[in-house]
DNA sequence: GTTGACCTTAGACCTAACTCTAAGGTTTAT
DNA sequence: ATAAACCTTAGAGTTAGGTCTAAGGTCAAC
């Protein structure tokens, strides 16, 4: 039986975070001392590690809640349910990547167009491009 | 002189958002009616469009504040300052992309390992992989 | 028998960029 | 003159995942 600080040390999740997860239904201490101290079993440790691994894999706490409910009763759940959650998450991640890559593209074009030098910004093509708006996708290069 | 709803229609930024931007120092109405209604000039419209374009390019409102202060006095600012802001943003975006690609990788490996079928999850290799933790990067395939 | 490390709770605070509400004043058209 | 459609403000709420504080109770050591 571990106290919260011991579970914290074992998992790398802070005691605050562990209580936060408990409040959100992810990890509940199996037992309490008379004074109300949380006590965690080995099964709790495994559960906490599952949560941490899932979190590091990109799952939201809500996803993790679903995964945990599958975990405690695997007979009543199918591989398909598991892949559904995973695929949804992958789609989400892919969407965010696409969005960021579009920004990356824009920023690289902007950077490429500007001389980056010490002279004043009256001729700066980044400023011009932001002035022009979306219409023109490719900024003109600065002419010295 | 445009009223806020007219500027909103012209820029696609909601009146709420325009007031929010004003509160954060980005776009201030050049004038007010006697009753306190905001009135925007053509210069305000251009400024609002600049903000919108910068936002769509991925800049934070704080970044945009810096870009705007360069914009109003280009003689006192250099191309280098502009590229500094842009490069910092690009680094940030690249960092986020890398993080997401790592999640993408993990999720794809997980998905690849699981049969995704209707049978129960007692043999599910996604669940196993989340159980195992970080140590083993490649999940074993499910054997039917 | 008291110091110090640990634990408890409820609840406030954080970031970012909105988004909305309440409660009221203004304008315009009928 | 009254209803609809606009505008104002301050301030609360949203999302996600924590992070921290206050005010106090508990436990082990010296
Ligand atoms: Zn230049
Ligand atoms: Zn430049
Ligand atoms: Zn399977
Ligand atoms: Zn499976």
């Amino acid at each position: 039986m571990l106290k919260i600080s011991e579970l914290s040390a074992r998992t790398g999740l802070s005691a605050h975070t562990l209580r936060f997860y408990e409040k959100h239904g992810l990890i509940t201490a199996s037992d309490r001392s008379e004074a109300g101290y949380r006590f965690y079993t080995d099964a709790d440790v495994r559960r906490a590690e599952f949560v941490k691994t899932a979190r590091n894999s990109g799952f939201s706490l809500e996803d993790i809640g679903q995964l945990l409910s599958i975990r405690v009763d695997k007979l009543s759940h199918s591989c398909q349910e598991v892949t559904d959650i995973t695929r949804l998450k992958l789609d989400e991640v892919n969407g965010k990547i696409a969005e960021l890559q579009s920004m990356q593209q824009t920023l690289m074009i902007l950077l490429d167009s500007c001389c980056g030098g010490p002279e004043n910004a009256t001729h700066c093509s980044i400023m011009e491009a932001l002035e022009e708006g979306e219409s023109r996708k490719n900024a003109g290069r600065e002419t010295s």
Side-chain angles (χ1 to χ4, degrees), chain A:
Chain A
M1 293 293 227
L2 303 170
K3 278 187 289 187
I4 196 164
S5 63
E6 294 165 328
L7 180 59
S8 169
R10 211 152 294 201
T11 58
L13 301 167
S14 80
H16 278 304
T17 298
L18 288 168
R19 291 191 200 99
F20 173 78
Y21 285 174
E22 178 172 301
K23 196 160 59 185
H24 288 71
L26 299 185
I27 303 164
T28 307
S30 291
D31 209 352
R32 294 277 188 140
S33 76
E34 288 201 357
Y37 284 28
R38 289 170 179 80
F39 283 126
Y40 297 95
T41 63
D42 285 356
D44 293 335
V45 175
R46 285 191 295 276
R47 189 173 169 103
E49 275 162 356
F50 181 95
V51 168
K52 198 191 174 190
T53 305
R55 193 196 60 175
N56 290 342
S57 306
F59 290 106
S60 69
L61 301 192
E62 197 188 331
D63 298 332
I64 294 173
Q66 291 180 53
L67 291 170
L68 285 169
S69 61
I70 292 173
R71 182 177 180 268
V72 294
D73 185 10
K74 287 181 179 151
L75 279 168
S76 306
H77 296 278
S78 64
C79 272
Q80 196 182 351
E81 290 175 70
V82 181
T83 53
D84 282 353
I85 294 169
T86 309
R87 202 182 307 279
L88 228 59
K89 182 55 47 179
L90 180 57
D91 288 350
E92 197 183 309
V93 166
N94 284 337
K96 281 187 197 163
I97 288 174
E99 219 176 296
L100 285 167
Q101 279 174 339
S102 153
M103 287 181 193
Q104 186 191 44
Q105 190 63 18
T106 303
L107 292 170
M108 279 177 1
I109 290 169
L110 287 178
L111 267 182
D112 195 48
S113 73
C114 173
C115 75
E119 70 271 34
N120 77 59
T122 49
H123 76 292
C124 183
S125 54
I126 293 181
M127 297 304 285
E128 276 169 27
L130 294 175
E131 211 65 65
E132 307 279 340
E134 292 300 88
S135 47
R136 301 181 340 100
K137 278 286 175 187
N138 34 6
R141 288 199 146 272
E142 288 172 13
T143 56
S144 77

